[in-house]
Amino acid sequence: MSSAPLRSPALRPHRMKKDESFLGKLGGTLARKKKAKEVSDLQEEGKNAINSPMCPAPVEVHPEDSLLEENEERTVIDPTSRDDPRFKELVKVLIDWINDVLVEERIIVKQLEEDLYDGQVLQKLLEKLADCKLNVAEVTQSEIGQKQKLQTVLEAVQELLRPHSRPLQWTVDSIHGKNLVAILHLLVALAMHFRAPIHLPEHVSVQVVVVRKREGLLHSSHVTEELTTTTDLLRVSAERDAFDTLFDHAPDKLSVVKKSLITFVNKHLNKLNLEVTELETQFADGVYLVLLMGLLEDYFVPLHNFYLTPDSFDQKVHNVSFAFELMLDGGLKKPKARPEDVVNLDLKSTLRVLYNLFTKYKHLE
């Protein structure tokens, strides 16, 4: 009974606290070691998944590329593709183009993934190319703010490009995730749409390793991404003609050219009680182009071959494309302009098409 004071409750908490502190430290150390091992294992798993027998060359995976959430995926460009001279040329041409466009902004892009992912440069580039002002914050440091800016920029891009039936090859997450393939797809599309005065190398493709995490395991697949093709669209962007010179150096003569072309088209369209006063808007849906070709070649165009009252972008593109086919059937060269440019009210493209008709049919009564 005399030993009871030795079991004073005041001593037990002190000893328990000391024990718990020791065990906590031990547990924390073990937990950190376990976490480090999991990270190491996951990184190694990512490398092993990519360095499979299906892959001809090892692909270096950065640690952040192998630490994926469930169902998340990352893409890695094969080193062989990165070393391809045409791929390097494409990247260089696009970087130089961006720097030329933004020279007045004192913006210098050195690396596409690092300089474009947050939306700041893309915002300035689009505003300069489209001569518009986007309603976004000028500087955003947080990830949420950067993605919101990217969302606004990419929505504006989509509105301009109107890809419709063609799926977009970039997303907010892919751009913000520094996916170089997605960034290149976006820049090539912008360069082609705005007819950048650059020469894009043709037939540029890259081998991409796609890593996905499913049920805790990483799975890899290999796909080929075509960045540029060999269409006339790539050549057109680098070509300049009399209309480029007219717009750049003799805008005062533009009204004279427009007046001559309006007189020419009305001379024939008046036979159908139609009259043109604005070239860029009244030919944008392709209807007058189709009817004009029928008048110039002296035949009736069946109404089921085109949309007489088109109410969508695709229907208007169909009409202009059909008019281009009629021009080819009439012995004319393929128009340099794209149907999409005519529909998008690009005056220079519309003038190119009409002047092509004027040079051949100007002597017709």
Side-chain angles (χ1 to χ4, degrees):
M1 297 295 293
S2 60
S3 61
L6 296 177
R7 299 179 61 186
S8 171
L11 297 176
R12 184 174 300 174
H14 179 71
R15 190 166 64 244
M16 288 177 63
K17 184 175 182 181
K18 182 177 179 181
D19 292 345
E20 287 176 355
S21 176
F22 172 74
L23 292 175
K25 289 180 180 179
L26 179 60
T29 302
L30 292 174
R32 284 194 295 273
K33 288 183 177 180
K34 182 179 179 182
K35 181 67 174 178
K37 187 176 186 304
E38 288 178 352
V39 170
S40 177
D41 291 345
L42 189 54
Q43 291 178 12
E44 188 64 28
E45 186 180 342
K47 292 179 181 179
N48 292 336
I50 295 178
N51 295 336
S52 62
M54 295 175 60
C55 185
V59 178
E60 181 181 353
V61 183
H62 295 288
E64 63 268 23
D65 289 331
S66 58
L67 293 175
L68 305 180
E69 299 295 333
E70 185 66 22
N71 295 321
E72 187 182 356
E73 74 173 39
R74 295 279 174 87
T75 60
V76 183
I77 299 178
D78 188 281
T80 305
S81 294
R82 277 188 176 271
D83 292 336
D84 187 289
R86 286 176 299 177
F87 176 79
K88 289 184 175 180
E89 181 187 358
L90 176 63
V91 173
K92 183 180 184 303
V93 167
L94 291 172
I95 289 178
D96 290 344
W97 171 57
I98 295 172
N99 288 334
D100 286 342
V101 173
L102 299 180
V103 63
E104 295 180 359
E105 301 286 339
R106 297 183 179 180
I107 292 175
I108 299 178
V109 171
K110 295 182 178 179
Q111 190 174 1
L112 294 177
E113 309 100 295
E114 297 299 330
D115 295 336
L116 270 65
Y117 81 95
D118 62 358
Q120 182 74 16
V121 175
L122 284 175
Q123 172 207 341
K124 297 295 184 183
L125 179 64
L126 184 61
E127 288 180 340
K128 195 73 173 178
L129 292 172
D131 192 22
C132 66
K133 183 67 177 176
L134 299 179
N135 185 24
V136 293
E138 283 299 318
V139 180
T140 52
Q141 298 295 336
S142 68
E143 179 178 339
I144 294 177
Q146 290 171 353
K147 287 189 174 183
Q148 287 175 343
K149 172 178 280 193
L150 272 175
Q151 183 70 37
T152 301
V153 173
L154 295 184
E155 285 176 356
V157 169
Q158 183 175 1
E159 181 65 22
L160 280 172
L161 302 183
R162 298 177 182 272
H164 286 276
S165 59
R166 292 169 291 182
L168 292 175
Q169 295 173 294
W170 57 83
T171 62
V172 170
D173 288 334
S174 63
I175 300 295
H176 194 268
K178 303 180 182 180
N179 184 323
L180 181 57
V181 173
I183 292 172
L184 289 172
H185 277 307
L186 173 59
L187 292 177
V188 168
L190 287 174
M192 291 173 60
H193 177 79
F194 288 103
R195 296 187 175 277
I198 57 178
H199 177 70
L200 295 174
E202 301 176 1
H203 277 312
V204 179
S205 297
V206 291
Q207 293 294 321
V208 176
V209 181
V210 182
V211 183
R212 297 182 180 87
K213 185 174 183 180
R214 293 196 301 267
E215 298 180 356
L217 298 177
L218 296 180
H219 303 268
S220 67
S221 59
H222 301 74
V223 297
T224 300
E225 287 277 352
E226 186 179 58
L227 299 174
T228 67
T229 182
T230 183
T231 63
D232 293 335
L233 300 180
L234 298 180
R235 299 190 184 96
V236 167
S237 65
E239 295 177 356
R240 292 181 61 82
D241 58 16
F243 284 100
D244 290 302
T245 304
L246 183 68
F247 273 72
D248 294 342
H249 304 292
D252 54 310
K253 297 181 180 179
L254 183 60
S255 60
V256 178
V257 174
K258 291 174 66 175
K259 184 177 180 180
S260 298
L261 292 176
I262 287 175
T263 301
F264 164 71
V265 297
N266 280 336
K267 175 182 176 182
H268 300 282
L269 290 175
N270 285 165
K271 299 172 185 178
L272 298 177
N273 294 322
L274 301 174
E275 186 170 0
V276 170
T277 57
E278 292 291 335
L279 295 177
E280 59 264 57
T281 57
Q282 290 182 268
F283 284 97
D285 63 6
V287 176
Y288 277 16
L289 270 182
V290 173
L291 297 176
L292 182 59
M293 279 308 302
L295 291 166
L296 294 174
E297 286 291 326
D298 195 25
Y299 57 70
F300 174 77
V301 182
L303 298 181
H304 65 266
N305 284 337
F306 67 103
Y307 298 94
L308 193 58
T309 56
D311 57 7
S312 71
F313 183 82
D314 286 339
Q315 290 180 0
K316 294 175 183 178
V317 170
H318 169 86
N319 284 354
V320 177
S321 300
F322 178 58
F324 283 9
E325 293 176 9
L326 297 180
M327 294 174 195
L328 290 174
D329 292 341
L332 289 161
K333 292 182 179 180
K334 183 179 180 180
K336 289 184 177 181
R338 299 182 302 168
E340 291 86 353
D341 292 334
V342 176
V343 175
N344 280 330
L345 309 180
D346 183 73
L347 177 58
K348 195 185 298 184
S349 297
T350 304
L351 291 180
R352 285 189 176 104
V353 173
L354 295 177
Y355 187 75
N356 200 26
L357 298 178
F358 174 77
T359 54
K360 179 175 181 179
Y361 299 104
K362 60 185 176 182
H363 298 302
L364 285 181
E365 293 297 331

